[in-house]
Amino acid sequence: MDKYSFLNAMSPSLLADLYNQYLQNPDSTEPSMRAFFQGFDFGLESGEPLGEPSNVTTTVTLNNSETKETEKIQVSKNVQKEFQVINLIDGYRHRGHLFTKTNPVRERRKYSPKLDIENFGLSQLDLDIEFEAGEIIGIGKTSLRKIVEFLENVFCDSIGVEYAYIRNPKEIKWIQDKIYHNQNKTHFSDTQKKNILRKLNEAVTFETFLHKSYVGQKRFSLEGNESLIPALDTLIEGAADIGVKEFVMGMSHRGRLNTLVNIFGKSAKTIFNEFEGKDYEVDGFDGDVKYHLGWTCKRQSDSGKEINLNMAPNPSHLETVGSIVQGIARAKQDVHYLGEEQYVLPIVVHGDAAIAAQGIAYEIVQMAQLDGYKTGGTIHIVVNNQIGFTTNYIDGRSSTYCTDVAKVTLSPVLHVNADDAEAVVHAMNFALQFRMEFGRDVFIDLLGYRKYGHNEGDEPRFTQPKLYKAISEHKNPRDIYADKLEEQGIINTDYLDQLEESVKSKLSEEFEDSKKDDNVVITEILQEEWKGYEAADKDEMLKPVDTTFDLNELSKLAEAITTLPEDKIFMKKINKLMKTRHTMYFEKNELDWAMGELLAYATLLKEGHDVRISGQDVERGTFSHRHAVIITENSEEEYIPHNNLGGEQSKFYIYNSLLSEYAVVGFDYGYAMASPSSLTIWEAQFGDFSNGAQVIIDQYISSAEDKWKTQNGLVMLLPHGYEGQGSEHSSARMERYLQLCAKDNMFVANCTSPANYFHLLRRQQKTNYRKPLIVFTPKSLLRHAQVISSKEELAEGSFQTVIDDAKAKVKETKTLVFCSGKFYFDLKKRREEEKRNDVALVRVEQLFPLPKEEMNKIIKKYKNAKDVVWAQEEPRNMGAYTHLLLQYDKTKDFRVCSRRFYGSPAAGSQARFKRRHDEVIDYVFDASKDNCLNDYK
């Protein structure tokens, strides 16, 4: 008896599922089925004739791995044919997206092999044969002709779907059910179609109006991709109907003004004022170009739901804003929607050249499912112009698609013809439903074109003459869709004219109204989160802030964070560490750096401030000092003392980050932007690792308040200090931050005591304004015997911008040394060794805003000191010296003690490092040893 005869009665859907399982993991397949599939594959490869009647059988010989015997099996031709149709269906699933009608202005690249049925062992003679395999795609037993027609409609029309690489069977089934239903199309009602046309008309008319009103001015128009507007409208309306309350969006220049007006409701009048280049209504604010500005508004959906829309401000680094969006969304979820995170929806609109080439896009995608950074799925939309400035897409990427980064997280991608407005809206509905169902990212690649050059003053024919000839002759998406609706009898000839005239009239009215305004009004974003916060100038930043905390309450917190639960088993070293911390607080009253830091967090948590810390290895700390997350020895369960303080408290979030600086700093900056009441910290593994986030530092941290009126309280902890660890692990490049300091844009500090660090962190949350804080944190001082503070200094003290020398004998002091950070302790050690009572060592703890008055008082105090020194361990062209020259006029009279000028921050040789370090210290204590500017050694 033929032991495979049961196959003739088996459901093709089940057979297909088993076959796919076999292809992915043969060992997981039942042995007899595995033997059959092996034989089937062998039969396909052997080239046996496949055109015989269905009752003919093919004999295949194979080695059965289970019995170690050679076995002959017979496969009936009707089963073979069914498998060939299944393979055809699988071919469309995997490769159908390569053969779509998605490019509106030129032919697609050619791919082979094609999906011709002959490539699957089928022939034209099979087209009218009915196959059970039709069940797999939901159309039942039917002819091969109808199966192919169905597959072409689903996979190769205006939408190409990439999903076959997804490994979750539930997601695959959900996607297939969606695209098989109505053959991957939506049957819109006449009302819905008119609404799509209405939004298309708003998009087209707005761009046309700007083009005529501001000839040659940059606006980065949406023309060629206007279907983005009805798509976004559909997304927001549909999301509101299923409960989404907050939308956080980021996009670069292309189409931004159109989106702000026609989706976010920003008045065209405001846009016109920005085009006119008028000054701003407030002083001390430099502003930015109109297509960088952010926006926040409340909007009522068509169904009456109130929703909050946020457009993040963005710089010219096109993909940077994506990280900001993720941080804003996560902050909103943590603060307002814990347990209902799906009600905050991040949307990021990319450019095709940018998403393919800029590395931050990959970093952001890698965050998507990480506990510290996930936001419940982002809808990514690529406004695909098929060109980057003047660079053709074939010169701009090696990947097939600009969206191939989506495959990193196995996210589905829909490639859509931007000229097919209904397909675009259908794809957007798919994306929304997928995100809400699975909490995962989804990408839409909106294939259109760019009507003009990179900006409206550019000539694109210089570099793409053939393409732009085709574009000049091509109808816009609105007119294409209007023609379609007119053919369907849904609108008449006058309908579109009336729509266009209505929008034109409104724009003209606002255009005339804008001429009455003298200034531009800039609307701050996220206003609802920033109620009660005020702007602050440098004078305000220099005022003392009360950061005291009740000593008895502090002791309770110390008890909580130094006591481990008895029902859990921890490593012996951890138990010892916690006992040591308990002893240093309750018995010795000598608190080290970690205790100062951890108590600062605990006090803020009890006062109602969430604390979020992220970065590489922050849970333990790069230098094993923090141990904010304790791991049990046997189960590796996490225990976080700061979430067990007793009584009411806010939440403590601490996450080891992915090995990224650029995206993670952007994320945390966005988080701080949306949650000013939270202390938000990013810590670098070593200080100079922040170099990888330089775009965020330059475009947001140092300049955002000046450009966009957005305050931010992000804290950056940058380990810094010369301890012979080579170039990268010595310097946090403080000179770069200090060079960016201006007016009142940030705080920069280099602390030397646990108490001062405690008060610095608390000061960050105890003011009614927010400024970024850059802290050059120590390494060797974390366990330095002299770097200790008392509990009273924490409870009753305050942040000291300058720390005078408490042991100096003022009248005997001949040399007054100003220094900062860890170098103080190197100088202090030498002074003790040489018993130099004539040298006073003063620590400048805050480098910006520079505490000039305190420094002046100290110089006046030590009036007998004729030798005033600035000492630093960094090279002369690095560190704080040049900053002091710019900020403090007395610096020109200082004797400067530093390393020589170098291109690298420090030597790699330990011997050379020590020699250079000692030379600087020698010169501090002996002015005759000035060899800092002599030949290089």
Side-chain angles (χ1 to χ4, degrees):
M1 180 180 178
D2 177 10
K3 65 178 178 180
Y4 297 100
S5 60
F6 69 91
L7 293 168
N8 293 314
M10 183 177 285
S11 160
S13 299
L14 176 58
L15 199 57
D17 289 342
L18 290 171
Y19 185 51
N20 282 330
Q21 178 183 326
Y22 159 76
L23 291 174
Q24 293 177 18
N25 187 2
D27 291 337
S28 69
T29 308
E30 192 275 328
S32 63
M33 289 303 300
R34 182 164 72 243
F36 168 72
F37 291 139
Q38 288 171 336
F40 173 70
D41 287 346
F42 184 85
L44 287 180
E45 294 168 7
S46 68
E48 292 284 342
L50 298 172
E52 295 91 346
S54 62
N55 61 343
V56 177
T57 61
T58 296
T59 300
V60 181
T61 301
L62 70 153
N63 182 59
N64 191 322
S65 60
E66 298 295 318
T67 64
K68 306 299 182 183
E69 296 175 357
T70 299
E71 181 180 4
K72 289 188 177 182
I73 65 171
Q74 292 183 328
V75 184
S76 61
K77 285 300 173 184
N78 61 335
V79 173
Q80 277 198 344
K81 288 282 186 181
E82 290 286 359
F83 262 102
Q84 284 150 4
V85 177
I86 290 171
N87 280 340
L88 174 68
I89 293 169
D90 213 39
Y92 272 90
R93 288 171 172 172
H94 282 82
R95 304 183 71 247
H97 57 85
L98 298 172
F99 306 100
T100 55
K101 304 165 187 171
T102 49
N103 199 320
V105 287
R106 54 182 167 187
E107 288 188 12
R108 292 201 57 177
R109 285 186 282 185
K110 305 298 181 185
Y111 298 94
S112 62
K114 295 183 178 180
L115 296 174
D116 298 336
I117 60 174
E118 288 79 7
N119 291 325
F120 297 87
L122 300 163
S123 72
Q124 298 296 310
L125 297 174
D126 297 317
L127 285 172
D128 294 316
I129 298 175
E130 292 191 342
F131 291 93
E132 298 280 357
E135 291 181 14
I136 298 170
I137 53 178
I139 59 176
K141 183 178 180 180
T142 190
S143 68
L144 178 60
R145 189 183 306 277
K146 289 184 178 178
I147 290 173
V148 171
E149 181 182 345
F150 181 90
L151 293 171
E152 285 287 321
N153 286 335
V154 170
F155 292 103
C156 300
D157 200 1
S158 293
I159 301 176
V161 186
E162 281 192 283
Y163 73 98
Y165 44 77
I166 293 174
R167 299 182 190 130
N168 185 332
K170 289 183 180 179
E171 292 180 20
I172 292 172
K173 185 179 186 305
W174 187 94
I175 290 169
Q176 290 177 171
D177 288 347
K178 283 290 178 186
I179 61 179
Y180 294 159
H181 180 67
N182 288 334
Q183 299 186 38
N184 204 16
K185 294 174 178 62
T186 299
H187 297 306
F188 295 102
S189 67
D190 289 358
T191 301
Q192 290 172 320
K193 290 178 179 180
K194 286 181 178 179
N195 191 57
I196 292 172
L197 180 62
R198 177 176 64 85
K199 298 306 291 185
L200 275 173
N201 176 66
E202 289 176 2
V204 171
T205 306
F206 178 77
E207 296 292 358
T208 303
F209 190 91
L210 290 182
H211 190 65
K212 291 180 178 177
S213 301
Y214 300 101
V215 179
Q217 283 206 46
K218 293 180 182 180
R219 70 178 192 277
F220 298 98
S221 84
L222 189 58
E223 287 162 286
N225 264 299
E226 293 96 332
S227 51
L228 174 69
I229 298 303
L232 289 174
D233 183 67
T234 296
L235 172 60
I236 290 170
E237 291 291 335
D241 286 343
I242 55 178
V244 174
K245 298 177 175 62
E246 300 252 13
F247 297 83
V248 184
M249 187 169 171
M251 67 184 299
S252 52
H253 315 342
R254 183 72 53 203
R256 186 181 183 91
L257 299 182
N258 206 316
T259 302
L260 284 168
V261 170
N262 291 314
I263 298 297
F264 281 73
K266 184 174 182 177
S267 72
K269 173 186 172 182
T270 303
I271 300 286
F272 298 148
N273 278 330
E274 292 164 2
F275 267 103
E276 294 292 345
K278 297 175 182 177
D279 203 356
Y280 303 104
E281 62 171 346
V282 292
D283 294 327
F285 168 66
D286 286 343
D288 200 356
V289 291
K290 50 194 166 291
Y291 36 78
H292 284 179
L293 302 175
W295 186 259
T296 293
C297 67
K298 291 193 180 296
R299 163 178 160 174
Q300 193 170 68
S301 72
D302 292 344
S303 59
K305 306 281 197 317
E306 186 175 75
I307 50 180
N308 198 29
L309 302 176
N310 300 279
M311 173 78 82
N314 75 297
S316 290
H317 294 266
L318 305 178
E319 291 295 311
T320 301
V321 73
S323 64
I324 308 298
V325 165
Q326 301 301 324
I328 293 173
R330 179 59 180 263
K332 285 181 169 291
Q333 291 169 341
D334 284 351
V335 175
H336 303 299
Y337 298 96
L338 268 180
E340 297 179 322
E341 290 81 2
Q342 72 274 20
Y343 295 147
V344 179
L345 176 57
I347 306 164
V348 181
V349 182
H350 310 264
D352 52 311
I355 191 174
Q358 294 188 17
I360 190 174
Y362 173 85
E363 295 180 30
I364 294 168
V365 165
Q366 281 287 21
M367 291 177 166
Q369 295 299 316
L370 302 181
D371 285 345
Y373 306 92
K374 62 186 178 183
T375 54
T378 298
I379 294 180
H380 299 266
I381 308 163
V382 179
V383 176
N384 192 335
N385 305 142
Q386 308 185 54
I387 189 171
F389 201 168
T390 67
T391 304
N392 283 317
Y393 69 93
I394 57 174
D395 298 318
R397 64 176 187 266
S398 297
S399 59
T400 302
Y401 295 113
C402 62
T403 52
D404 280 350
V405 69
K407 295 171 185 174
V408 171
T409 49
L410 308 178
S411 302
V413 181
L414 285 79
H415 307 278
V416 195
N417 189 325
D419 272 1
D420 189 338
E422 290 186 12
V424 174
V425 172
H426 172 83
M428 190 62 79
N429 282 325
F430 173 101
L432 172 62
Q433 292 164 21
F434 181 88
R435 185 267 181 180
M436 299 303 289
E437 180 71 21
F438 296 106
R440 292 176 60 81
D441 287 6
V442 57
F443 288 71
I444 293 177
D445 178 16
L446 193 60
L447 267 114
Y449 54 90
R450 189 184 66 196
K451 185 173 181 180
Y452 304 105
H454 176 65
N455 58 66
E456 287 63 35
D458 188 43
E459 175 51 80
R461 288 178 176 82
F462 288 148
T463 47
Q464 283 84 21
K466 184 177 177 182
L467 172 63
Y468 273 87
K469 182 179 180 182
I471 289 172
S472 67
E473 299 168 354
H474 193 75
K475 278 189 174 183
N476 67 55
R478 179 199 65 183
D479 292 346
I480 291 171
Y481 192 53
D483 290 346
K484 179 179 177 180
L485 297 191
E486 193 171 344
E487 288 174 11
Q488 294 175 359
I490 296 173
I491 64 171
N492 57 32
T493 309
D494 297 331
Y495 186 86
L496 181 59
D497 292 340
Q498 292 169 2
L499 277 182
E500 187 173 11
E501 184 54 39
S502 173
V503 176
K504 274 185 183 177
S505 176
K506 183 180 178 183
L507 290 173
S508 296
E509 183 179 326
E510 294 198 55
F511 181 74
E512 292 302 319
D513 202 25
S514 71
K515 295 179 180 179
K516 302 172 186 176
D517 295 334
D518 296 324
N519 300 109
V520 175
V521 177
I522 298 297
T523 302
E524 298 175 39
I525 71 164
L526 299 164
Q527 303 101 320
E528 72 282 0
E529 308 289 356
W530 286 86
K531 289 178 181 176
Y533 293 90
E534 304 291 339
D537 59 17
K538 188 185 291 186
D539 292 338
E540 184 68 24
M541 293 167 70
L542 285 167
K543 289 179 180 178
V545 176
D546 182 4
T547 53
T548 58
F549 192 84
D550 182 78
L551 181 57
N552 291 330
E553 292 300 315
L554 186 70
S555 296
K556 292 178 184 178
L557 297 178
E559 181 71 31
I561 66 172
T562 60
T563 305
L564 295 174
E566 294 181 359
D567 60 341
K568 301 180 189 298
I569 299 174
F570 300 94
M571 291 177 59
K572 290 181 179 179
K573 287 185 177 180
I574 289 295
N575 286 319
K576 182 180 179 182
L577 169 71
M578 299 303 273
K579 287 178 181 177
T580 299
R581 287 180 174 176
H582 193 276
T583 299
M584 73 170 61
Y585 185 93
F586 290 100
E587 297 179 24
K588 294 185 176 181
N589 196 14
E590 295 178 351
L591 311 185
D592 66 4
W593 194 271
M595 277 297 284
E597 176 187 7
L598 294 172
L599 284 168
Y601 302 148
T603 59
L604 290 171
L605 290 167
K606 291 300 287 186
E607 291 174 333
H609 300 281
D610 287 352
V611 176
R612 175 189 166 91
I613 309 172
S614 89
Q616 294 149 17
D617 309 292
V618 296
E619 293 178 7
R620 190 200 74 178
T622 297
F623 310 104
S624 201
H625 82 288
R626 183 173 292 122
H627 291 281
V629 179
I630 312 296
I631 308 297
T632 59
E633 187 168 16
N634 297 329
S635 62
E636 294 192 357
E637 176 190 350
E638 290 186 349
Y639 176 74
I640 302 177
H642 280 76
N643 281 329
N644 295 274
L645 299 177
E648 291 187 9
Q649 65 162 96
S650 292
K651 294 189 177 299
F652 183 70
Y653 302 103
I654 184 164
Y655 303 103
N656 288 340
S657 75
L658 64 162
L659 197 65
S660 153
E661 292 85 35
Y662 191 173
V664 173
V665 174
F667 184 103
D668 286 330
Y669 182 89
Y671 195 100
M673 182 187 289
S675 183
S677 65
S678 302
L679 177 65
T680 306
I681 296 174
W682 176 77
E683 182 176 56
Q685 193 174 80
F686 286 88
D688 74 308
F689 284 18
S690 63
N691 290 350
Q694 201 64 46
V695 173
I696 300 293
I697 295 162
D698 291 346
Q699 305 299 338
Y700 284 93
I701 290 172
S702 68
S703 60
E705 186 172 3
D706 220 16
K707 294 190 295 188
W708 307 318
K709 288 179 70 175
T710 57
Q711 294 190 58
N712 197 287
L714 178 67
V715 179
M716 295 180 69
L717 305 182
L718 309 179
H720 176 89
Y722 281 54
E723 285 120 351
Q725 296 188 47
S727 172
E728 282 74 25
H729 291 171
S730 294
S731 175
R733 293 288 193 175
M734 66 167 61
E735 63 278 356
R736 295 184 179 172
Y737 295 91
L738 295 172
Q739 184 186 32
L740 293 170
C741 291
K743 297 191 299 182
D744 48 26
N745 64 337
M746 66 175 97
F747 287 108
V748 178
N750 192 12
C751 298
T752 57
S753 81
N756 223 25
Y757 186 42
F758 171 91
H759 292 292
L760 176 66
L761 292 174
R762 285 183 50 75
R763 184 185 72 173
Q764 191 69 358
Q765 296 305 110
K766 303 304 286 185
T767 62
N768 69 337
Y769 61 86
R770 292 289 178 265
K771 302 286 181 179
L773 168 62
I774 314 301
V775 188
F776 297 102
T777 54
K779 293 171 290 184
S780 61
L781 301 191
L782 297 176
R783 296 174 179 83
H784 197 289
Q786 296 182 15
V787 181
I788 55 174
S789 299
S790 68
K791 64 182 76 171
E792 289 78 15
E793 287 177 297
L794 270 63
E796 300 162 8
S798 63
F799 178 69
Q800 297 174 268
T801 57
V802 179
I803 299 179
D804 196 359
D805 192 336
K807 295 184 177 181
K809 297 180 179 179
V810 177
K811 292 183 179 179
E812 295 179 18
T813 298
K814 297 178 181 178
T815 297
L816 173 62
V817 180
F818 286 98
C819 61
S820 186
K822 165 253 177 187
F823 198 43
Y824 163 78
F825 292 94
D826 297 335
L827 297 174
K828 184 171 181 285
K829 181 181 178 183
R830 175 67 69 85
R831 183 177 67 177
E832 291 169 354
E833 290 172 348
E834 296 187 3
K835 298 179 181 179
R836 291 289 300 274
N837 296 326
D838 60 338
V839 177
L841 302 175
V842 177
R843 290 168 272 176
V844 181
E845 300 279 289
Q846 179 170 289
L847 295 168
F848 191 83
L850 195 66
K852 300 174 190 176
E853 289 186 13
E854 284 78 1
M855 293 173 72
N856 288 341
K857 288 177 183 177
I858 287 172
I859 291 173
K860 187 176 181 180
K861 173 183 174 181
Y862 292 94
K863 56 186 178 182
N864 293 335
K866 305 305 179 186
D867 181 25
V868 182
V869 174
W870 171 255
Q872 65 178 44
E873 54 189 345
E874 301 85 3
R876 183 71 59 92
N877 54 313
M878 301 176 194
Y881 173 59
T882 53
H883 168 71
L884 289 171
L885 279 175
L886 293 171
Q887 297 284 337
Y888 190 47
D889 57 4
K890 287 184 170 58
T891 306
K892 65 181 183 298
D893 299 322
F894 286 5
R895 179 165 63 89
V896 184
C897 300
S898 72
R899 279 170 166 78
R900 302 171 178 82
F901 289 86
Y902 289 109
S904 174
S909 160
Q910 188 79 348
R912 182 170 293 187
F913 162 82
K914 188 176 186 311
R915 183 172 68 246
R916 291 177 179 175
H917 200 68
D918 289 345
E919 282 179 353
V920 179
I921 297 174
D922 289 344
Y923 182 42
V924 171
F925 290 91
D926 186 349
S928 68
K929 294 185 177 180
D930 184 6
N931 60 356
C932 289
L933 297 179
N934 296 341
D935 54 304
Y936 296 83
K937 295 183 180 179

